[in-house]
Each structure stands twice: as structure tokens, then as C-alpha cells.
Amino acid sequence: MGIYLGIDTSNYRTSCALYDSCTGIVKSCRKLLPVKKGERGLRQSDAVFHHTKQLPELMEELFDGVPKLSGCAYSYAPREVEGSYMPCFLVGENVCRAVSASLGIEPSRTSHQKGHVLAALYSCGKLGLLENDEPFLAFHVSGGTTDMLLCKRDKEKVISLTVAGHSTDLKAGQCIDRLGVRLGLDFPCGEKLEALARKSSRDFRIKPSVNGMDCSLSGIENKCKAMLEKGESPEDTSKFCLDYICETISMMTKAGLEKYGNMPVIYAGGVMADKLIADQLSNRFDAYFAAPEFSGDNAVGIALYAALKGKA
């Protein structure tokens, strides 16, 4: 029992968080990485530079008046699979290891993806799913990932994540950001694209490209480009993009439940902060969503992982 630190330095945001295992209260500090107008992300070297600059400032804000830590953890890679690697995560790892060495505690490490799932479980009040051996489904839908995961409590790993379905090409967040940048929106574009879509009254007949439990999203970019070239409004094009993603996730969810049986479904990742998508999925499934501040990249799930590892 005590205070646990989590650090996550993804390709989108610098994040650090504290979790109090006695009260269940979290404190989170995070800041988007700066992306120039018209660009669709950062090179890894630029991401490392900005994390190196931003993380100390956020840590100073986070630790204002905080007592001694009981444990800490960092995200070391996007996913817990062979070959998953991004240099930007080294910044968080190095800082966490330095903190742990100064305090004489052993740091834990986990994946960025597992942090997303744990943050979503915390946010929607479903941490109890880790107290039994019943599996559940979780989606991690972001700019770098569109995965459907079969999840189960794991004594050593806290939670095991097995990829049941995924996008074979573009990811949902990439589709949103590419359209948003084309429309002149600032990166990342999710919130502003949703605002545009809400102004549309169009209903679209969507036929997602889903094969089993896998999907293909590469067609969205071309279809949206063609719509704009034909004179379709930014509002209607934005709604088509989000509707297509929603129907794709819905079809994948249905396929997963047909294979594994009826079970709760947790939706995590920045794309799942979109209320237009979340509201439709909530009407169709036993679905649970993280609050927006726990959907985008954050370190709350990483801090929670440190606490759960300390409890094991």
C-alpha cells in the first residue's frame, strides 16, 4: 500500500501519474508533443527531444508535496510483442530507473497498450474484472493501434493481452488525423473532427472491410479524399470517416463475442474518446468506456500497474 509512480513517453504525449493504493485517487500530469501545422506526427528523434524537455517540468508539478514512493513503473514499448519498439519510450524508462535507483526500489515495466487497458478499467470502475479468472474483451484504438484483445488476469503480468483481431493496414487514429490535417486541423485531430461531424445530418450506408476478426481501414483515406474532391462538405466527410470506424469496431466486436461468448467489452485509446462512436457502441454491446482524460495517452494505467505488481 502506498504511492506509485507511472511514466509514459509515447509518440503523442509526455505523461506521468501517481496512484494512491490506499485511497484509489490518481494525480496525472501530461502534455502533448508539439507538432507543426500541416504535419501528421513527429520523427522519433524529435519526440525524444521534446520528452526530454517536457518530462522534468511535469514531474516537478506531479511531485509537489507528495510523500515517498512505494513503487514505480514505466512503459518500455507500444505493445508486449516481439519487435515492438520506439526510441521515445527510452526517455520515460531512463527517468523511472533513475528515480527508482535513488529510492532503492525496483522499477516495473510494461507496455503502453497495457497501460491503456488498465487506465480504462480504472476509469469505468471495472478493476474488479482483474479479481477473477473470467476473460473479457478490450479494444485499444488509437493512432498507432487498432487491436481487439482477449484479456485475463495473470499473476505475473497482472493482465494478459492476446490479440484476437487487428487492423491489417492503417489504424483508426491515422485515418482521423490524415483527414483532419487535409482539412487544416491541428494534429492530433480527433476532437475537432468530431466537432465537424456533429454538424452533419447525413446518414451513410457503411460496408466495413472486416475479415473474421481483422479489419482493413486503408480505404477510408481514399474515400474521404474522393468525397472532398467531389465537393462534399468537411462536416459530411468527417461524419463518414467516424461512422466507418464505428461500424468497423462494431463488426469486430460482434465477431469477437460470437467466438468467445458473451462478456464485457472495454474500449480504450484516444479514438474511443469520441462520443459519436462511443454512444453507438454503448447501444449495441455490454460496453464500457474510459473518460476522455483516461482515453488518450496517459500514465495512470502505468502507475496502477506498479501498484498491482507491488501487491502481487
Side-chain angles (χ1 to χ4, degrees):
M1 304 291 280
I3 307 295
Y4 294 85
L5 167 69
I7 300 176
D8 181 75
T9 50
S10 72
N11 209 39
Y12 279 81
R13 182 179 274 123
T14 311
S15 307
C16 51
L18 294 170
Y19 172 72
D20 187 332
S21 62
C22 297
T23 64
I25 295 174
V26 299
K27 180 181 180 182
S28 177
C29 296
R30 55 188 189 150
K31 187 176 182 180
L32 283 170
L33 300 180
V35 177
K36 293 180 181 178
K37 186 77 172 180
E39 295 188 358
R40 303 186 299 195
L42 291 172
R43 295 176 299 179
Q44 282 295 294
S45 58
D46 292 331
V48 168
F49 170 79
H50 290 301
H51 280 313
T52 302
K53 183 178 180 181
Q54 293 182 174
L55 186 55
E57 298 171 355
L58 293 174
M59 291 281 281
E60 289 172 356
E61 178 184 350
L62 185 71
F63 276 93
D64 183 23
V66 173
K68 184 177 179 180
L69 293 174
S70 298
C72 57
Y74 60 89
S75 54
Y76 71 94
R79 301 158 66 219
E80 285 186 352
V81 296
E82 186 175 352
S84 181
Y85 171 75
M86 280 187 172
C88 57
F89 288 100
L90 288 172
V91 180
E93 175 180 350
N94 290 340
V95 171
C96 188
R97 289 174 61 185
V99 169
S100 64
S102 69
L103 296 175
I105 57 178
E106 186 69 24
S108 299
R109 72 174 202 159
T110 189
S111 68
H112 174 76
Q113 183 172 75
K114 187 171 290 186
H116 265 295
V117 174
L118 289 173
L121 289 172
Y122 171 85
S123 176
C124 65
K126 286 294 177 179
L127 284 173
L129 291 173
L130 300 180
E131 296 176 359
N132 58 63
D133 293 324
E134 295 299 319
F136 60 94
L137 288 177
F139 276 81
H140 176 202
V141 188
S142 67
T145 308
T146 299
D147 284 352
M148 177 170 63
L149 307 162
L150 183 64
C151 308
K152 194 173 182 180
R153 180 179 67 170
D154 186 290
K155 186 175 181 180
E156 181 180 347
K157 299 179 180 179
V158 176
I159 178 175
S160 66
L161 307 178
T162 302
V163 177
H166 72 292
S167 174
T168 58
D169 41 50
L170 282 183
K171 313 309 176 188
Q174 287 179 303
C175 299
I176 290 171
D177 288 330
R178 291 185 181 190
L179 173 59
V181 170
R182 183 180 293 275
L183 294 174
L185 305 180
D186 291 333
F187 179 95
C189 308
E191 288 187 26
K192 293 182 176 63
L193 198 79
E194 180 185 356
L196 283 175
R198 286 187 176 278
K199 297 177 182 178
S200 171
S201 58
R202 288 278 298 277
D203 290 321
F204 296 98
R205 293 185 63 184
I206 306 292
K207 293 183 179 180
S209 178
V210 176
N211 182 14
M213 292 186 289
D214 295 333
C215 72
S216 170
L217 295 172
S218 59
I220 298 180
E221 184 177 17
N222 292 332
K223 290 178 181 178
C224 289
K225 180 181 177 182
M227 288 178 68
L228 293 172
E229 289 175 347
K230 291 178 181 178
E232 297 272 9
S233 70
E235 292 81 4
D236 288 346
T237 307
S238 298
K239 188 170 187 296
F240 172 82
C241 177
L242 297 182
D243 282 354
Y244 195 105
I245 291 170
C246 179
E247 292 305 316
T248 299
I249 299 300
S250 179
M251 189 172 289
M252 292 175 70
T253 303
K254 184 178 180 181
L257 294 176
E258 287 177 351
K259 179 172 182 177
Y260 298 112
N262 190 39
M263 60 181 64
V265 186
I266 308 296
Y267 293 95
V271 173
M272 292 293 94
D274 188 299
K275 286 289 290 178
L276 287 177
I277 295 176
D279 288 346
Q280 292 188 61
L281 294 174
S282 294
N283 291 330
R284 303 174 189 179
F285 307 106
D286 182 17
Y288 301 90
F289 295 83
E293 62 268 28
F294 297 102
S295 296
D297 290 355
N298 67 87
V300 171
I302 308 300
L304 184 59
Y305 179 84
L308 293 172
K309 284 290 286 185
K311 181 180 177 182

